[in-house]
Amino acid sequence: MLWKVVRIIARVVVSILIVLVFAGPFYWMVLTAFQTASEALSIPPQFWVDALRWDNFVEAFDRVNFGHFALNSAIVTGGTLLGQFVIIVPAAYAFARFRFPGRDVLFGVVLATMMIPGQLIFLPVFAMYAKMGLLNTHLSLILPFVASGFGIFLLRQTFMRVPDSLLEAARLDHASEFTIIRRIMLPLAKPTIVTIGLITFIGTWNNYFFPLVWTTTDAVRTLPVAVPRLEALDEIAPTVVMAGNMLLVVPILIVFLLARRHIISAFTYTGVK
């Protein structure tokens, strides 16, 4: 009995520590975003706010033309999501439901792309963009990411779970392959598609390196490039910097909360009901 109580207490302590490790930095960001400069720099640290200071968000929004960079982020993220949907759905369907020469080799190549770091190819891609005149355009930040090896792999695994009898019945009713994808495959794969979309959204929205190296002007640069500038403008008090980071994170939290149910379904899906 005593050993059981000790195990429960140990489990609770470990759970609290895990929560503090992961949620602690986020709480500190939110706290600092609503504090005054004196509260943020106080010693000992203040773990609460006397009054919410919304001026930090207004100042962060105005200092770096937040609306312009947010629009660029929305265009790049939306374009990447649309491009991935157009490419990975038919690719995953072909790999899952058709047999053709070289299929396994091609799928192996798709999987191999997952092991190539993006930083390894940024220089040749930059040179290619310079020759094609795509530098400082939204396309330069969209095209390299519209084909996702991970997305094709995950969606292929979902398509393979659909019974052949269901597809044969559709073909007997003279359904085209496009109709089968639209009316059968996509509804059944909705949780997987939402999961891939969420992962792509987070990766694209938070992408800092490639917008920085593939663009040279602010015309098409995105929020992750703009937010660090707040630190240069406000080196003493971190309140405005944290407010800018909160504005960057909020869209991700909203999308995650909307998609969390589908994410669980994607990894617990066992077949057609």
Side-chain angles (χ1 to χ4, degrees), residues 32-191:
T32 306
F34 286 104
Q35 286 180 328
T36 63
S38 58
E39 290 174 337
L41 298 174
S42 63
I43 299 177
Q46 187 171 328
F47 294 95
W48 63 89
V49 290
D50 297 326
L52 298 181
R53 183 179 174 84
W54 297 98
D55 294 346
N56 293 330
F57 295 91
V58 176
E59 193 170 350
F61 198 93
D62 292 337
R63 279 191 179 188
V64 294
N65 196 3
F66 217 87
H68 167 74
F69 291 104
L71 178 61
N72 286 336
S73 289
I75 292 173
V76 172
T77 304
T80 303
L81 288 170
L82 180 61
Q84 280 202 7
F85 180 80
V86 171
I87 290 177
I88 71 174
V89 170
Y93 181 70
F95 282 126
R97 312 309 306 193
F98 290 103
R99 294 188 177 275
F100 52 87
R103 184 190 68 169
D104 294 338
V105 174
L106 289 175
F107 188 65
V109 172
V110 170
L111 295 181
T113 61
M114 298 167 56
M115 295 182 286
I116 301 176
Q119 289 76 8
L120 192 65
I121 63 171
F122 84 92
L123 189 57
V125 172
F126 181 88
M128 181 180 66
Y129 281 162
K131 291 181 180 180
M132 298 175 62
L134 289 177
L135 290 179
N136 296 317
T137 64
H138 291 115
L139 281 177
S140 65
L141 303 177
I142 294 174
L143 289 179
F145 307 104
V146 293
S148 167
F150 173 77
I152 293 173
F153 165 75
L154 192 60
L155 195 57
R156 170 186 176 268
Q157 299 306 109
T158 301
F159 285 165
M160 289 180 67
R161 295 172 183 159
V162 179
D164 293 335
S165 57
L166 187 60
L167 303 187
E168 292 301 326
R171 292 189 179 104
L172 288 175
D173 288 336
H174 305 289
S176 64
E177 298 300 328
F178 176 77
T179 302
I180 291 174
I181 293 175
R182 183 172 59 89
R183 301 290 296 274
I184 298 176
M185 290 300 194
L186 291 183
L188 293 175
K190 183 178 178 181

Side-chain angles (χ1 to χ4, degrees), residues 191-192 194-195 198 255-256 259-268:
T192 303
V194 172
T195 301
L198 177 63
V255 172
F256 175 77
R260 69 186 187 281
R261 178 172 58 87
H262 296 289
I263 296 172
I264 297 173
S265 300
F267 290 100
T268 57

